[in-house]
Amino acid sequence: MEIISKSKYSILFVLALIFIVRTFFYIQDKSVHFDEIIYPAAGYMYWTEKAFFINNETPPLSKLVISLPLLFFDLKKPDMSDLNKTDYSYQFILGDRFLKINKSCREDIILFSRLTAVFISLIVFFVLYKFVLSIADSVAAVFSVFWLSMSPNIIAYSGIANIDIFMCLLIFWFVCVCQIYLKHPTLKNSIFFGIITGLSFAVKSSAVIEIIIMLSFMVIHYCKTNEPEENAGIIDFIEMRFRKLSVSFIVALIILLTSYFFVGIPEYLNGLKDIASGILKGKTNIFFAGLYSMNGFWFYYFGVYLLKTASPEILLALIFIFYIFKHSILIKYPELFNFIIAAVIIFFAISLSNFQTGMRYMLPVYPILAVFLGVTSSFMIKLKGKSRMFLFILTLWMSVSSFNTHPDYLAYFNELTSLSADGKNNSNLLADCNVDWGQDLKKLKTRLNKYPNSFLVFSYFGNDAPEEYGIEYLELAPRTRIKLNPKTPQYFDKNRILLAVSKTNFTGVYYPGDMDLFAWLKILEPVENIGNSILVYDITNSKIALQKIIEIYEIQNKTKEMEILRFFLSKINS
């Protein structure tokens, strides 16, 4: 324990360096993720044209930060005059055209946009370290950073240029600052509280959850306090605190207005209206372990947590719960109770939502979890004996598991999934951002080189055109918001036909009324599981597969595609 305390800055430097190196190689390995296509282009248009109508359901700050490095490039803007600005696909098509028109620096655009997300992650680690240090000790703080920096889920979203890692930082920072303000309601803390609140609302409107967290903390503080001025009723106490927060609200409002350059507030209001309309009307298909729902599952996020959180983290979280009762850890570290409340509120809020797409909405829970794990790790070291040895095993296990995941962090599943019937490739457990966001086109192109003289049929989920990576294919029931322009290869001289299916499409979750579109693939064994997000099948000699694909094309009235598949089918029959 003394060694960790004395070498804390060296350890933190090593952890940060390892994280940066891993993330740097990870972001270069992946193609553009589903939502990621929006952010660089939208942010660039905000900076240069104040075009806040683009993706107006999401406030602009994260897009402004992500696109900030792009201002140092001489970039062209795509012509969008042929599209309706109110069309939901507009923002995706803009992103696609933005990358295509700037093809010569496409990789630089993606790299520098993603590096902003890496920088935000480092701020998460800094905030985590400083706050745990203030409530516990340096050992707990260092271990907190260790657990968070090794989390495959955190690494995954640290390499994606979108909103998720920003909200992870700001909600966690808010939880920390809220506790500091309630203890010491000074003008300085009030201003800082307003800054964090303003930044949160300038990133995402769902930051409204912070109000619920704040009210909960106020009630807890009221129940704990013995200050004479606060012997009034709880309503009076909350009203008193809100009056003191007037400076915070003004600061938050100024930051929100500034993020719109003081001219885009009408678009902010339109975005709120669109969000409200979506909540009232909109539902989306939800998939979990072979089950489908339009209304969500109450257990969905608990299931995602169990499947996608590293096993050592789950075990250490259980030890934390045990220590609450065995060693009264909440009495020794009372601030942890507020973190428990915040985690419960976040978990409860996302579980009530009909839009249960996955891990991205759970991300703010992980820094909170890291607080518990760090304090528990420090406590285990103090207990000595078997506790220290078990902690060493858990940290070693976590390190090995995390490194073995590289670079396929988004599609990470823990060891529990090996117990499932689908433990080999996890293709029937989760979908969307839990496993497949269209991120493995680069790897698909490389892997196809193993199969020369092959013809590819590809069912793609994502918004990054496969043809941009030199992939020649026949498209099959894609799920995308952009216009794909595949180059269909010659097929007469091909002696092999491959079928590649994005795992999200494999589940059928986004094929309403036809969710078993690819159910027949379950009887076939894939020859490749690319990045754990794309399954590749050799269907050269599979009559069933070829006939099923012909049926899909027949429903879509695609004559040319049917002709090609019948050519390969005739080879089997002959």
Side-chain angles (χ1 to χ4, degrees):
M1 183 169 182
E2 188 177 341
I3 295 174
I4 296 175
S5 183
K6 287 182 177 180
S7 308
K8 58 188 176 187
Y9 294 120
S10 299
I11 296 171
L12 289 172
F13 175 78
V14 171
L15 288 174
L17 183 61
I18 291 172
F19 175 82
I20 291 169
V21 171
R22 294 174 71 187
T23 311
F24 182 75
F25 284 106
Y26 153 60
I27 62 180
Q28 295 191 85
D29 184 76
K30 300 300 177 181
S31 51
V32 180
H33 299 70
F34 195 95
D35 281 4
E36 191 179 24
I37 193 77
I38 300 171
Y39 285 76
Y44 191 76
M45 297 299 285
Y46 295 166
W47 282 114
T48 57
E49 294 190 4
K50 298 182 177 63
F52 293 106
F53 68 88
I54 302 168
N55 189 232
N56 66 356
E57 68 270 20
T58 303
L61 185 57
S62 63
K63 286 162 280 186
L64 289 170
V65 174
I66 285 168
S67 61
L68 185 60
L70 306 186
L71 298 179
F72 297 94
F73 292 82
D74 183 19
L75 300 178
K76 300 174 184 176
K77 301 171 193 173
D79 178 17
M80 300 294 290
S81 58
D82 59 320
L83 294 177
N84 187 341
K85 292 179 181 180
T86 61
D87 189 339
Y88 183 70
S89 294
Y90 182 97
Q91 57 198 342
F92 297 96
I93 296 172
L94 168 68
D96 178 54
R97 290 183 181 179
F98 181 72
L99 290 179
K100 286 177 178 175
I101 201 172
N102 295 291
K103 190 168 184 175
S104 62
C105 53
R106 172 191 172 94
E107 289 301 313
D108 288 334
I109 291 172
I110 297 168
L111 173 62
F112 283 97
S113 298
R114 287 173 172 176
L115 286 177
T116 61
V118 178
F119 177 72
I120 294 298
S121 302
L122 294 175
I123 299 177
V124 178
F125 301 151
F126 176 78
V127 174
L128 174 65
Y129 174 79
K130 294 295 287 185
F131 193 81
V132 175
L133 185 63
S134 71
I135 66 171
D137 52 52
S138 58
V139 176
V142 169
F143 266 106
S144 293
V145 174
F146 166 79
W147 291 110
L148 193 64
S149 66
M150 288 290 171
S151 168
N153 298 308
I154 291 296
I155 299 173
Y157 286 92
S158 297
I160 302 175
N162 75 350
I163 199 170
D164 299 319
I165 198 68
F166 285 80
M167 284 309 294
C168 177
L169 164 65
L170 291 168
I171 289 179
F172 176 69
W173 208 343
F174 178 88
V175 171
C176 298
V177 171
C178 192
Q179 295 184 70
I180 294 170
Y181 172 77
L182 287 173
K183 279 186 178 181
H184 308 288
T186 63
L187 178 61
K188 176 184 174 182
N189 287 339
S190 181
I191 292 172
F192 193 58
F193 182 82
I195 291 172
I196 300 304
T197 304
L199 291 174
S200 299
F201 278 88
V203 167
K204 197 170 186 180
S205 300
S206 61
V208 68
I209 196 174
E210 293 179 352
I211 297 175
I212 301 171
I213 292 172
M214 180 175 63
L215 288 172
S216 301
F217 284 5
M218 284 183 174
V219 172
I220 294 168
H221 186 72
Y222 172 82
C223 295
K224 288 181 177 180
T225 187
N226 293 314
E227 297 174 21
E229 67 168 35
E230 291 159 358
N231 285 334
I234 188 169
I235 302 299
D236 293 332
F237 171 80
I238 292 175
E239 183 182 345
M240 186 188 311
R241 277 290 187 263
F242 268 108
R243 281 202 303 269
K244 290 182 178 181
L245 281 171
S246 57
V247 174
S248 302
F249 295 145
I250 293 171
V251 172
L253 181 60
I254 291 172
I255 288 176
L256 181 61
L257 291 170
T258 303
S259 71
Y260 280 97
F261 302 159
F262 294 93
V263 297
I265 292 303
E267 292 302 336
Y268 176 69
L269 299 176
N270 288 336
L272 290 178
K273 185 169 66 175
D274 291 343
I275 291 170
S277 176
I279 291 172
L280 292 173
K281 297 179 183 178
K283 290 184 179 181
T284 186
N285 285 349
I286 298 158
F287 175 81
F288 181 84
L291 303 174
Y292 301 89
S293 173
M294 289 290 288
N295 299 307
F297 302 103
W298 65 267
F299 55 83
Y300 178 83
Y301 281 104
F302 182 70
V304 172
Y305 172 81
L306 289 179
L307 293 173
K308 288 187 65 66
T309 302
S311 301
E313 291 182 289
I314 294 175
L315 289 173
L316 198 56
L318 292 174
I319 292 173
F320 169 73
I321 295 171
F322 173 72
Y323 281 2
I324 289 175
F325 301 100
K326 177 71 174 177
H327 297 292
S328 303
I329 200 168
L330 292 183
I331 296 175
K332 294 180 175 66
Y333 306 103
E335 293 86 356
L336 296 181
F337 184 72
N338 285 333
F339 280 106
I340 292 174
I341 296 300
V344 169
I345 290 171
I346 295 168
F347 225 90
F348 188 70
I350 59 178
S351 295
L352 286 178
S353 170
N354 287 333
F355 297 93
Q356 296 176 342
T357 54
M359 175 55 67
R360 63 184 304 190
Y361 297 115
M362 278 184 61
L363 218 57
V365 173
Y366 280 85
I368 296 175
L369 176 64
V371 175
F372 303 149
L373 302 186
V375 171
T376 306
S377 299
S378 177
F379 207 82
M380 291 174 75
I381 290 176
K382 291 173 185 175
L383 291 176
K384 300 182 180 180
K386 293 181 180 178
S387 295
R388 283 191 176 186
M389 179 56 67
F390 190 58
L391 177 63
F392 173 77
I393 293 171
L394 289 178
T395 54
L396 183 61
W397 182 3
M398 182 70 182
S399 301
V400 172
S401 177
S402 181
F403 277 98
N404 281 344
T405 305
H406 183 83
D408 304 318
Y409 300 107
L410 190 75
Y412 170 79
F413 286 90
N414 64 29
E415 292 81 357
L416 284 174
T417 59
S418 63
L419 302 176
S420 70
D422 192 36
K424 279 189 177 181
N425 57 48
N426 308 313
S427 54
N428 205 35
L429 293 174
L430 296 168
D432 207 280
C433 64
N434 294 305
V435 58
D436 166 35
W437 245 2
Q439 71 270 18
D440 280 309
L441 294 179
K442 289 182 179 180
K443 195 172 287 186
L444 173 63
K445 171 60 178 174
T446 302
R447 203 71 63 86
L448 287 174
N449 293 333
K450 288 175 55 179
Y451 303 93
N453 204 33
S454 296
F455 185 89
L456 179 67
V457 180
F458 189 15
S459 179
Y460 171 61
F461 176 80
N463 290 312
D464 191 10
E467 53 269 24
E468 290 298 309
Y469 298 90
I471 299 173
E472 296 183 350
Y473 66 103
L474 192 67
E475 68 176 11
L476 174 67
R479 281 296 173 263
T480 181
R481 296 282 185 180
I482 66 173
K483 173 69 175 174
L484 299 178
N485 295 294
K487 180 182 178 182
T488 304
Q490 293 294 327
Y491 61 92
F492 289 105
D493 59 339
K494 304 298 182 185
N495 55 24
R496 187 198 306 265
I497 179 168
L498 301 174
L499 170 64
V501 182
S502 293
K503 283 194 178 180
T504 298
N505 290 354
F506 179 92
T507 65
V509 63
Y510 296 133
Y511 296 106
D514 199 10
M515 294 175 183
D516 60 349
L517 188 69
F518 291 109
W520 49 273
L521 279 175
K522 295 175 183 177
I523 64 173
L524 302 179
E525 189 72 24
V527 293
E528 298 283 352
N529 180 15
I530 298 174
N532 209 18
S533 73
I534 300 174
L535 297 173
V536 179
Y537 298 84
D538 186 341
I539 57 171
T540 307
N541 298 308
S542 176
K543 283 187 178 181
I544 293 177
L546 293 169
Q547 288 168 347
K548 288 291 184 181
I549 296 172
I550 290 170
E551 289 174 12
I552 295 172
Y553 284 137
E554 191 171 15
I555 293 171
Q556 299 174 339
N557 198 29
K558 293 193 171 184
T559 308
K560 178 185 174 183
E561 288 81 353
M562 290 166 57
E563 178 186 322
I564 294 173
L565 269 294
R566 282 174 178 152
F567 168 78
F568 284 101
L569 185 61
S570 66
K571 281 189 169 185
I572 300 176
N573 294 331
S574 62

